[in-house]
Amino acid sequence: MPHQGYPRCLRLLNAGDFSHVFEQADLKVHGKGMMALARMSTRGHPRVGLVVSKKNVKRAVDRNRFKRLVRESARLRQDHLPSMDIVILAKRGVQYIDNETLFRQLHGMWKRLQRDAQTVSVAPPSDGVTRDS
């Protein structure tokens, strides 16, 4: 059975990691009550960070529930996700979504990120420069 822990190396922890994703996100996936920004990485494993503002989710219990569910979902899908840094942003109203629906939404987002990451990694660079051998 593969390792199912969620160590610190699988998390975005500092502001530099987050700004790296915000400045140059390769992928953007919308879900009900949340959005994911992702940037390809060469680390060999996915890293997930969370942004849950008081402005969008007022009560601490609701913010903590959302973060707990996202971390658990990422932990269970870590072996299937490509090597990328992912930031999950909570939108206004996410506290009204029940746990089962939220988990399904996250599962769908992980699958879309996985599918879209294959097209990004296969796509040629779009800098407008042609290279002849």
Side-chain angles (χ1 to χ4, degrees):
M1 183 171 164
H3 184 264
Q4 288 293 312
Y6 196 61
R8 290 177 63 86
C9 68
L10 296 179
R11 304 175 195 181
L12 294 176
L13 296 173
N14 57 40
D17 293 339
F18 280 88
S19 64
H20 183 70
V21 175
F22 283 127
E23 290 169 2
Q24 297 175 341
D26 295 324
L27 299 170
K28 184 188 283 188
V29 177
H30 293 274
K32 185 178 179 182
M34 67 190 104
M35 180 176 71
L37 298 172
R39 180 158 186 200
M40 301 307 289
S41 114
T42 57
R43 291 192 188 323
H45 56 80
R47 295 190 309 165
V48 178
L50 299 162
V51 177
V52 189
S53 70
K54 280 184 176 181
K55 181 179 179 181
N56 290 339
V57 185
K58 302 278 187 234
R59 298 182 335 158
V61 66
D62 295 327
R63 292 192 300 273
N64 292 335
R65 179 184 70 96
F66 176 76
K67 292 188 284 188
R68 188 175 57 248
L69 289 171
V70 172
R71 282 193 300 262
E72 177 65 9
S73 178
R75 183 185 72 82
L76 294 174
R77 296 287 301 176
Q78 68 188 350
D79 295 333
H80 304 288
L81 291 172
S83 176
M84 59 175 36
D85 293 343
I86 305 165
V87 175
I88 304 290
L89 296 118
K91 293 183 187 174
R92 195 169 276 145
V94 73
Q95 68 269 23
Y96 303 118
I97 302 172
D98 64 289
N99 291 358
E100 186 179 329
T101 305
L102 197 57
F103 221 80
R104 270 198 320 270
Q105 285 286 324
L106 286 164
H107 182 72
M109 288 176 74
W110 300 137
K111 287 176 83 170
R112 278 182 281 169
L113 281 172
Q114 188 177 0
R115 182 189 65 224
D116 294 350
Q118 292 174 347
T119 61
V120 168
S121 62
V122 173
S126 60
D127 56 1
V129 178
T130 57
R131 292 176 181 85
D132 295 326
S133 299

